[in-house]
Amino acid sequence: MFDKLYGYVKKWVSEICHILELIAAIFVFIAVVIALLALIPHVSELWQNRADTGAMLEFIEQVFVVVIGVEFIKMLCRPTADNVLETIIFLVARHMIVVTTTTPVDDLISTISIVLLCFVRRYLKEHRLKDKMREEDWRRLEEVADKDGEYARK
């Protein structure tokens, strides 16, 4: 009795959490659209101040806010390791490019972290590909075994 109730409550809480994640994604989506629309005046401002590097850094900062927002939405809607790693990579890249008061050690640590995150991402993709290939190989072996069994019965 208690196990059945526990399973029901656990499933119910899980569904509510999924719905809350989707609601949060909708709010973040609205914020990203607003931030994207707010970029339009920055483009003309960038064109007027194209000789000023500060204007370019400010524009890049605004673009990174939109890109990170999009990655965050992807992470909320499909919480896979790839989406989480992409979001973290963009966050570190934004820190490296936008923050102007970093030390060489900060830049080195940021660069190393991006490289490590890219390696982890590649390893996970290769691992998933190998798992998929193994599953296909097992399916083929099962099909061959089934056909051999059919031939043996005839």
Side-chain angles (χ1 to χ4, degrees):
M1 167 84 177
F2 181 73
D3 291 337
K4 196 173 190 180
L5 179 65
Y6 176 75
Y8 176 74
V9 170
K10 187 176 176 181
K11 183 179 177 184
W12 184 72
V13 169
S14 176
E15 288 296 321
I16 288 176
C17 289
H18 183 68
I19 291 169
L20 289 175
E21 282 179 344
L22 289 176
I23 291 170
I26 290 169
F27 284 131
V28 173
F29 176 78
I30 292 168
V32 167
V33 169
I34 291 169
L36 191 61
L37 293 175
L39 277 178
I40 296 170
H42 286 286
V43 173
S44 64
E45 186 179 309
L46 177 65
W47 181 254
Q48 291 170 355
N49 300 324
R50 60 185 172 269
D52 183 21
T53 57
M56 179 64 172
L57 282 175
E58 189 176 317
F59 181 74
I60 289 175
E61 182 176 359
Q62 296 299 323
V63 170
F64 264 119
V65 167
V66 172
V67 169
I68 290 169
V70 169
E71 291 298 323
F72 189 66
I73 292 169
K74 286 171 44 179
M75 189 177 69
L76 284 173
C77 292
R78 289 181 302 171
T80 63
D82 271 344
N83 290 339
V84 172
L85 288 173
E86 279 184 28
T87 305
I88 295 171
I89 288 170
F90 278 116
L91 284 170
V92 174
R94 178 187 177 274
H95 176 76
M96 280 180 62
I97 294 170
V98 173
V99 178
T100 57
T101 58
T102 59
T103 65
V105 174
D106 290 338
D107 292 339
L108 178 66
I109 290 171
S110 296
T111 304
I112 290 171
S113 66
I114 288 177
V115 169
L116 288 174
L117 288 168
C118 288
F119 278 134
V120 167
R121 187 171 167 220
R122 182 177 175 126
Y123 171 77
L124 288 174
K125 280 186 177 181
E126 287 177 3
H127 189 68
R128 267 184 266 133
L129 182 62
K130 287 179 184 177
D131 285 346
K132 186 177 180 180
M133 289 173 62
R134 282 188 202 123
E135 288 176 15
E136 290 174 4
D137 289 343
W138 277 109
R139 265 190 252 124
R140 284 189 206 124
L141 284 173
E142 288 173 353
E143 288 173 5
V144 169
D146 287 343
K147 286 181 183 177
D148 288 342
E150 288 176 15
Y151 292 130
R153 289 184 211 138
K154 289 182 178 178

